[in-house]
């Protein structure tokens, strides 16, 4: 959806320029522009619930998170207020409320399906999802230089109004205002430099992408946020006599328990009626059906949950009946709204497993001399069962809402295309089974913080990036306090 003629040259990198080794099929989606993937993300921003934070030990599929919902809730609020998130306060336990601006309206078919699900299921809630879209900018957003979302749905080109959150529209200009920000594009971090005598990291080694000149930069504290898999790569490549297997990696778990969200399954359908109704603008958001699986107890033959995004729209006129996609008749048909179509797609939790891992190639390097990343990540039987359940349940829900021509698809796409890569440097209470503590510090090198997707102990089923932002804000606040106390 986001990879189009308008975006492919600027916002996505070419694998042939930035190769990696796929031990199993894996589509690693990357954007190396300043602002990273925040320019091309989908902007869905649901909070994790207490169910997700507690699920891995409850269902015996992972280690315990070192923090709970109550630890991160104030930081979700902090981020929501700053980046601007629209949504509704729905009071759903599986998808906690936050600090929201008004949502976009649901259209009539979405409202109809919402009502039918409410009538037919007492534990399923189809509501506005939460999106980093400025529907009613506040003072803090205006100060960032941003304006209201114009409902053009051209977000993936990078919005000239700052109508959605990206680091280019929001956090980078804000940081620039402090006078303390230096952005150094065209720079590849090769590794973190560790000083065995000081027992601390002292800086980073950087390669200029154009000149290939190597420069060392020194700092008291290092925040590593290169996106989950690149952060794993940098940590694994940060070798020293103290840490021959990568910084902080005494337990050998760095790069392991890589996980992702499962987006393989979707359904599409048509619905009769509502022919006299349309909608305003191009709504850049979608409703969401909050996870209804395995919340308080395991109620399926798989573990983990899934959220379901959905939407409804009118097709362009009677174009389907025309054989040629050109000419006056086609143009006339396009100007008339056609049949209503609706869809649902899943965002499923996957189970962190030691065998799903990334590691460094011993003999292949990229053009800057950095070892290539080997990805060895696949689906498992749990994912297959979840897909089956999603397809069955979504079909039943749309059928009972009066939809017809329901088409079910499992596109079998490899992991990676699911765009939410996580893990490899997980948080945990025990340094024997995790890499990071509850403040996202490496257990074994406290002045290195990893707060991107690499830190995830499990994947939950909510869109994860606002959790990375909340964890980052929380860890940065902690780091400043520790620095002031002289502990860092
Ligand atoms: C199409 C698409 C839709 C998405 N939709 C959603 C969504 O709706 N909701 C959601 O929560 N998430 C979504 N995501 C995921 C989201 O984009 C990422 O989780 C988020 O951008 C991660 O932020 P990050 O800063 O960790 O990584 P990035 O945004 O990837 O930024 C990392 C930065 O680090 C730089 N970097 C990497 N390696 C090095 C190195 N060695 N040296 C120097 N710099 C380096 C990169 O150039 C980049 O600028 C989506 C992603 C895609 C691709």
């Amino acid at each position: 959806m986001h990879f189009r003629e308008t975006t492919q040259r600027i916002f996505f990198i070419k694998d042939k320029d930035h190769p990696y080794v796929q031990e199993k099929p894996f589509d690693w989606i990357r954007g190396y522009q300043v602002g990273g993937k925040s320019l091309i993300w989908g902007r869905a921003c649901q909070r994790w619930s207490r169910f997700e934070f507690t699920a891995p030990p409850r269902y015996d599929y992972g280690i315990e998170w070192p923090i709970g919902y109550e630890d991160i809730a104030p930081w979700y609020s902090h981020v929501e207020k700053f980046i601007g998130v629209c949504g509704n306060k729905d009071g759903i336990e599986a998808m906690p409320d936050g600090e929201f601006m008004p949502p976009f309206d649901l259209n009539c078919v979405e409202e109809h399906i919402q009502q039918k699900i409410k009538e037919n299921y007492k534990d399923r809630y189809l509501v506005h999802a939460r999106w980093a879209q400025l529907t009613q900018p506040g003072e803090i957003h205006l100060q960032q230089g941003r304006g209201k979302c114009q409902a053009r749905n051209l977000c993936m080109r990078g919005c000239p109004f700052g109508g959605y959150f990206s680091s280019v529209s929001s956090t980078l200009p804000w940081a620039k205002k402090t006078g303390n920000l230096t952005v150094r594009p065209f720079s590849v971090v090769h590794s973190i430099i560790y000083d065995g005598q000081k027992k601390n990291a002292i800086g980073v080694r950087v390669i200029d992408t154009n000149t290939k000149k190597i420069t060392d930069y020194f700092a008291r504290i290092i925040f590593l946020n290169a996106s989950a898999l690149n952060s794993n790569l940098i940590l694994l490549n940060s070798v020293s006599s103290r840490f021959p297997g990568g910084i902080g990696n005494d337990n050998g778990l760095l790069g392991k328990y890589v996980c992702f969200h499962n987006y393989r399954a979707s359904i599409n359908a048509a619905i009769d009626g509502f022919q006299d109704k349309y909608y305003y603008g191009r709504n850049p958001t979608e409703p969401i059906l909050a996870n209804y699986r395995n919340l308080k107890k395991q109620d399926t033959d798989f573990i983990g949950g899934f959220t379901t995004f959905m939407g409804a729209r009118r097709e362009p006129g009677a174009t389907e009946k025309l054989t040629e996609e050109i000419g006056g008749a086609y143009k006339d048909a396009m100007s008339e709204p056609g049949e209503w179509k609706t869809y649902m797609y899943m965002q499923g939790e996957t189970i962190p497993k030691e065998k799903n891992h990334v590691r460094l190639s011993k003999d292949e390097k990229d053009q800057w001399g950095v070892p290539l990343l080997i990805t060895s990540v696949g689906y498992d039987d749990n994912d297959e069962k979840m897909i089956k359940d999603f397809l069955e349940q979504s079909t039943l829900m749309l059928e009972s809402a009066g939809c017809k021509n329901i088409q079910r698809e499992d596109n079998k796409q490899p992991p990676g295309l699911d765009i939410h890569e996580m893990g490899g440097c997980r948080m945990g209470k025990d340094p024997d089974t995790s890499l990071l503590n509850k403040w996202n510090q490496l257990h074994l090198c406290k002045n290195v913080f990893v707060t991107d997707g690499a830190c995830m102990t499990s994947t939950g089923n909510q869109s994860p990036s606002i959790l990375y932002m909340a964890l980052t804000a929380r860890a940065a606040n902690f780091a400043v306090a520790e620095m002031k106390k002289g502990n860092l």
Side-chain angles (χ1 to χ4, degrees):
M1 179 170 90
H2 299 242
F3 183 78
R4 293 183 181 151
E5 202 177 351
T6 46
T7 55
Q8 65 190 25
R9 278 172 211 280
I10 41 172
F11 289 159
F12 292 89
I13 52 112
K14 288 199 177 82
D15 288 349
K16 88 173 154 46
D17 297 334
H18 302 274
Y20 61 104
V21 182
Q22 300 174 54
E23 198 162 74
K24 294 177 188 163
F26 185 85
D27 289 325
W28 188 12
I29 306 299
R30 291 160 291 167
Y32 287 169
Q33 59 279 351
V34 171
K37 297 194 296 274
S38 77
L39 281 161
I40 49 173
W41 72 318
R43 310 164 308 281
C45 273
Q46 291 70 236
R47 289 185 179 204
W48 271 41
S49 68
R50 65 185 174 86
F51 299 116
E52 287 156 290
F53 279 108
T54 56
R58 267 196 301 131
Y59 301 131
D60 199 21
Y61 68 88
I63 61 165
E64 190 183 352
W65 274 82
I67 57 169
Y69 178 71
E70 60 290 352
D71 296 305
I72 204 68
W75 295 100
Y76 268 128
S77 295
H78 174 82
V79 173
E80 283 158 351
K81 284 191 252 179
F82 187 81
I83 71 171
V85 175
C86 68
N88 200 36
K89 295 206 181 208
D90 300 294
I92 301 171
E93 254 187 312
M95 204 173 74
D97 294 331
E99 316 285 336
F100 301 142
M101 292 174 289
F104 282 85
D105 291 335
L106 301 188
N107 65 42
C108 60
V109 169
E110 291 163 353
E111 274 177 351
H112 165 78
I113 295 172
Q114 179 187 48
Q115 186 55 34
K116 287 291 167 196
I117 291 176
K118 194 171 166 191
E119 283 167 26
N120 295 329
Y121 302 88
K122 61 177 187 319
D123 60 348
R124 298 190 189 180
Y125 307 99
L126 179 66
V127 295
H128 295 278
R130 288 81 197 250
W131 301 90
Q133 223 73 35
L134 285 188
T135 53
Q136 203 176 80
E139 186 52 34
I140 188 80
H141 309 117
L142 300 176
Q143 284 176 20
Q144 292 165 27
R146 300 169 60 195
K148 185 175 171 169
C149 169
Q150 302 291 309
R152 304 181 314 151
N153 201 7
L154 293 174
C155 315
M156 57 295 298
R157 295 186 192 174
C159 181
F161 311 106
Y164 73 94
F165 168 83
S166 72
S167 16
V168 173
S169 69
S170 173
T171 34
L172 285 175
W174 198 256
K176 194 174 169 204
K177 281 186 190 203
T178 66
N180 297 326
L181 172 74
T182 306
V183 179
R184 199 190 190 289
F186 305 107
S187 310
V188 176
V189 172
H190 169 275
S191 52
I192 295 170
I193 308 162
Y194 183 79
D195 184 318
Q197 296 205 314
K198 290 186 177 149
K199 295 195 165 77
N200 250 338
I202 52 166
V204 288
R205 179 150 298 166
V206 168
I207 305 169
D208 187 294
T209 56
N210 295 315
T211 64
K212 305 207 171 148
K213 183 170 171 275
I214 295 175
T215 311
D216 290 347
Y217 290 89
F218 298 98
R220 276 169 73 183
I221 296 179
I222 294 160
F223 267 70
L224 180 59
N225 296 83
S227 190
L229 296 193
N230 268 319
S231 289
N232 274 280
L233 190 161
I234 292 168
L235 291 165
L236 286 163
N237 202 34
S238 302
V239 290
S240 56
S241 50
R242 166 66 187 85
F243 292 117
I247 189 164
N249 190 23
D250 282 6
N251 59 23
L253 296 181
L254 183 59
K256 296 179 178 169
Y257 297 96
V258 166
C259 38
F260 53 93
H261 276 148
N262 176 357
Y263 271 95
R264 264 171 46 185
S266 60
I267 68 172
N268 287 284
I271 185 163
D272 287 336
F274 308 96
Q275 289 299 310
D276 58 341
K277 302 226 166 36
Y278 202 69
Y279 35 82
Y280 169 74
R282 299 190 190 113
N283 181 351
T285 71
E286 288 166 332
I288 193 171
L289 178 61
N291 177 36
Y292 49 89
R293 287 308 198 201
N294 303 325
L295 293 170
K296 292 184 179 156
K297 60 176 179 47
Q298 188 174 347
D299 46 27
T300 61
D301 62 349
F302 57 86
I303 41 183
F306 55 84
T307 47
T308 304
F309 287 99
M310 68 85 59
R313 62 179 189 285
R314 288 192 77 164
E315 292 286 281
T319 52
E320 282 163 7
K321 293 180 193 128
L322 299 173
T323 48
E324 279 194 323
E325 290 189 357
I326 191 167
Y330 188 73
K331 201 169 141 196
D332 289 345
M334 279 184 77
S335 68
E336 291 296 321
E339 197 181 19
W340 280 95
K341 291 277 173 67
T342 184
Y343 60 88
M344 289 181 161
Y345 61 92
M346 73 182 289
Q347 181 173 282
E349 179 165 7
T350 65
I351 305 309
K353 293 179 292 285
E354 191 168 354
K355 71 174 183 185
N356 273 352
H357 74 277
V358 295
R359 62 183 195 277
L360 299 187
S361 169
K362 291 199 170 56
D363 39 31
E364 288 185 274
K365 295 192 171 169
D366 69 11
Q367 52 184 309
W368 298 285
V370 178
L372 298 194
L373 195 70
I374 301 173
T375 56
S376 187
V377 180
Y379 292 105
D380 64 15
D381 192 42
N382 197 67
D383 301 319
E384 303 299 332
K385 287 178 178 161
M386 192 185 284
I387 287 168
K388 185 166 173 282
D389 185 55
F390 162 82
L391 287 171
E392 282 169 7
Q393 294 304 314
S394 303
T395 302
L396 286 173
M397 283 185 275
L398 287 193
E399 270 173 0
S400 58
C403 297
K404 58 176 196 179
N405 301 339
I406 298 176
Q407 286 159 11
R408 299 149 58 116
E409 187 183 25
D410 171 2
N411 65 17
K412 309 261 184 203
Q413 69 187 24
L417 257 190
D418 313 279
I419 51 148
H420 297 163
E421 70 230 20
M422 292 174 243
C425 185
R426 63 184 180 179
M427 295 170 77
K429 288 184 173 164
D430 183 353
D432 287 342
T433 56
S434 62
L435 276 301
L436 301 170
N437 69 13
K438 66 176 177 179
W439 297 109
N440 295 75
Q441 297 168 285
L442 280 177
H443 287 299
L444 302 181
C445 184
K446 293 276 191 307
N447 69 337
V448 174
F449 292 76
V450 183
T451 60
D452 61 17
C455 77
M456 298 290 276
T457 311
S458 60
T459 75
N461 56 76
Q462 301 295 355
S463 311
S465 305
I466 192 165
L467 179 53
Y468 312 158
M469 293 187 231
L471 288 167
T472 306
R474 179 176 175 270
N477 188 59
F478 170 80
V480 170
E482 286 296 286
M483 199 156 74
K484 284 185 181 156
K485 283 189 228 156
N487 294 339
L488 280 176

